[in-house]
Amino acid sequence: MSFTLAIVGRPNVGKSTLFNRLVGKRLALVDDQPGVTRDLREGDARLGDLRFTVIDTAGLEEVTDESLQGRMRRLTERAVDMADICLFMIDARAGVTATDQLFAEILRKRSKHIILVANKGEGRAADAGMIEAYSLGLGEPLRLSAEHGEGMSDLLSVLMPLA
Ligand code: GDP
Ligand code: MG
């Protein structure tokens, strides 16, 4: 049986980088500049022997009249409602921000199953953020480096029993 995984979190934590790694084609734009990606993007993911659908909540970086907070809430809720499992990503280098806490609130209310992922986890610069991540109250964070492909087997181990 297959499942749908939504990757959610504030802008710039590395959601599209993970999406691209899982889908293996550059379907989602990765860019530091605002205004390059839009709304939700769906792809066929492969991770080990698992095949599943992955949703990237792009569109947060878009410039519109709607406030960033409003857009984050709307797009995140849409993605979560489409998904069976929700991958909530934070930036381990930045630690837990107020925006991350807002996301945690949204997710706690709606989601079925939440996997907390602390991305940009390569190197010592991420150590403090890994500890801080527990304060979100979503359990043990999974340390990942979407860019360098570190922690992907740990992600597979977490997803396997849910598939
Ligand atoms: P999104 O806005 O959440 O989709 O984030 P992106 O995937 O567009 O990534 C934002 C920035 O973070 C880009 O410059 C990426 O190259 C960078 N990035 C993504 N993953 C990692 C990682 O594991 N480590 C580091 N150091 N940078 C990363
Ligand atoms: Mg993105």
Side-chain angles (χ1 to χ4, degrees):
M1 225 208 50
S2 196
F3 61 91
T4 299
L5 175 79
I7 306 174
V8 302
R10 63 179 178 81
N12 217 39
V13 294
K15 298 182 298 298
S16 300
T17 305
L18 177 60
F19 178 91
N20 288 337
R21 185 172 281 283
L22 289 169
V23 171
K25 289 173 257 167
R26 299 194 65 79
L27 283 180
L29 286 172
V30 179
D31 205 293
D32 293 325
Q33 301 305 311
V36 286
T37 53
R38 58 186 68 231
D39 295 341
L40 304 178
R41 207 169 305 257
E42 221 180 79
D44 296 322
R46 300 172 60 136
L47 183 59
D49 290 333
L50 286 187
R51 302 285 180 277
F52 54 95
T53 302
V54 62
I55 298 169
D56 181 21
T57 45
L60 301 182
E61 299 85 354
E62 235 184 315
V63 180
T64 67
D65 289 340
E66 194 181 355
S67 74
L68 177 62
Q69 217 188 74
R71 231 176 318 147
M72 287 194 314
R73 181 176 291 277
R74 186 171 55 79
L75 288 180
T76 300
E77 288 176 350
R78 251 174 67 199
V80 168
D81 288 350
M82 288 165 70
D84 304 300
I85 308 166
C86 187
L87 190 158
F88 173 33
M89 185 179 279
I90 66 167
D91 176 340
R93 296 185 168 204
V96 173
T97 70
T99 312
D100 294 327
Q101 281 161 350
L102 181 72
F103 268 96
E105 287 289 297
I106 295 171
L107 295 181
R108 245 194 295 271
K109 281 183 192 141
R110 289 185 98 82
S111 186
K112 305 102 196 181
H113 194 101
I114 303 168
I115 302 169
L116 175 61
V117 166
N119 189 42
K120 309 195 185 182
E122 78 278 1
R124 303 300 300 272
D127 287 355
M130 289 306 302
I131 307 291
E132 222 177 279
Y134 283 91
S135 71
L136 288 165
L138 295 169
E140 186 181 355
L142 194 152
R143 187 172 187 148
L144 197 80
S145 174
E147 192 158 279
H148 300 274
E150 295 170 16
M152 298 301 287
S153 59
D154 295 330
L155 180 59
L156 177 61
S157 302
V158 170
L159 289 176
M160 204 91 97
L162 304 173

